[in-house]
Amino acid sequence: LLLNSGSFSTKIYKREILLDPLFQFPEKIAYEDNVITVDIIMRIKHFEYIPEAKYFYYQHGQSTTHSISQKNIEDRMTSMRFLLNTAKKWDALSDYYNEVECIFARCFYATTLFSYMQSKIKHEVRFIKKLGREVKAEFPGFLNNPFFVEALDKEELMWVKLQQKSSLLFYLYYNLKKFYRMKRYGKW
């Protein structure tokens, strides 16, 4: 459930969970709903599954899911730092280390890395290097996490491993491959 927690809006919560004074909702950032969902799941003792849809979510073209900006990139990173600090605060790493490591490495690092490289934002090797260093500082063995390895496809895993070896080589090779695919196939 932690690894595929989905959005905050796809769940029904007991009122006392949301009114708990220890519950913190990150404000003024995008992706805050993902953090809250994982926070709640780490703290609950019981949940029920309802097989029918009770909520219909509409994604419009301006959704943070569809727009990549420097602010959205930074917000995703901030939300994942918040999640990690929450997991540490609740001592959830003792029970859910692999799951939290996977969520952080996937959302903070891999999703951000690939979103950044696909965006029209001016790419900087130092940002890529900083991103790689931070995930490695928090979770040195994340590349050996079976949940993380399973969450990425073969090519994404190859890119992540290359970036961990050299941000410059990753940057050059990724852009070269992107250029080649755009010329050859008209799409990345």
Side-chain angles (χ1 to χ4, degrees):
L1 187 60
L2 270 177
L3 294 174
N4 295 303
S5 60
S7 175
F8 179 76
S9 62
T10 63
K11 291 149 191 66
I12 300 169
Y13 304 92
K14 280 189 171 183
R15 187 170 192 246
E16 64 254 21
I17 291 172
L18 301 177
L19 295 177
D20 184 337
L22 297 175
F23 179 72
Q24 293 180 340
F25 199 91
E27 295 181 30
K28 299 179 183 166
I29 62 167
Y31 308 104
E32 77 291 344
D33 57 336
N34 297 326
V35 174
I36 296 310
T37 305
V38 174
D39 176 15
I40 291 172
I41 290 170
M42 285 188 292
R43 294 189 293 130
I44 61 172
K45 304 284 187 254
H46 177 82
F47 70 92
E48 298 276 336
Y49 173 74
I50 302 170
E52 71 249 26
K54 299 287 185 187
Y55 180 84
F56 297 95
Y57 180 73
Y58 173 74
Q59 275 194 11
H60 54 82
Q62 300 305 312
S63 168
T64 56
T65 308
H66 302 295
S67 83
I68 302 168
S69 67
Q70 190 65 42
K71 181 183 179 335
N72 285 354
I73 297 269
E74 296 291 339
D75 281 357
R76 181 184 299 115
M77 295 167 67
T78 300
S79 71
M80 288 300 107
R81 288 181 193 115
F82 187 92
L83 176 121
L84 183 56
N85 289 334
T86 300
K88 289 174 180 176
K89 179 176 83 176
W90 293 109
D91 194 29
L93 292 177
S94 59
D95 292 329
Y96 303 112
Y97 184 89
N98 284 339
E99 291 87 346
V100 173
E101 178 182 55
C102 174
I103 293 165
F104 188 82
R106 191 181 70 214
C107 296
F108 173 87
Y109 172 62
T111 302
T112 302
L113 179 65
F114 297 126
S115 296
Y116 181 74
M117 293 304 292
Q118 289 298 313
S119 74
K120 295 187 184 336
I121 299 167
K122 183 177 181 261
H123 302 141
E124 297 181 11
V125 175
R126 67 186 163 125
F127 175 82
I128 296 165
K129 187 181 283 189
K130 178 182 166 230
L131 186 64
R133 282 184 180 158
E134 189 168 345
V135 71
K136 193 81 166 176
E138 291 294 350
F139 295 103
F142 80 95
L143 285 172
N144 298 318
N145 182 311
F147 297 133
F148 178 72
V149 171
E150 187 179 308
L152 301 182
D153 67 34
K154 191 176 177 180
E155 186 177 18
E156 289 171 330
L157 194 56
M158 183 265 311
W159 289 119
V160 163
K161 288 178 179 178
L162 178 60
Q163 189 283 320
Q164 285 294 302
K165 287 180 184 171
S166 169
S167 294
L168 181 59
L169 280 178
F170 164 81
Y171 174 81
L172 294 172
Y173 187 48
Y174 191 94
N175 282 313
L176 186 62
K177 188 123 186 186
K178 186 176 172 182
F179 176 77
Y180 169 77
R181 286 182 179 172
M182 290 300 288
K183 285 292 185 193
R184 174 135 185 162
Y185 307 111
K187 63 180 180 174
W188 170 238

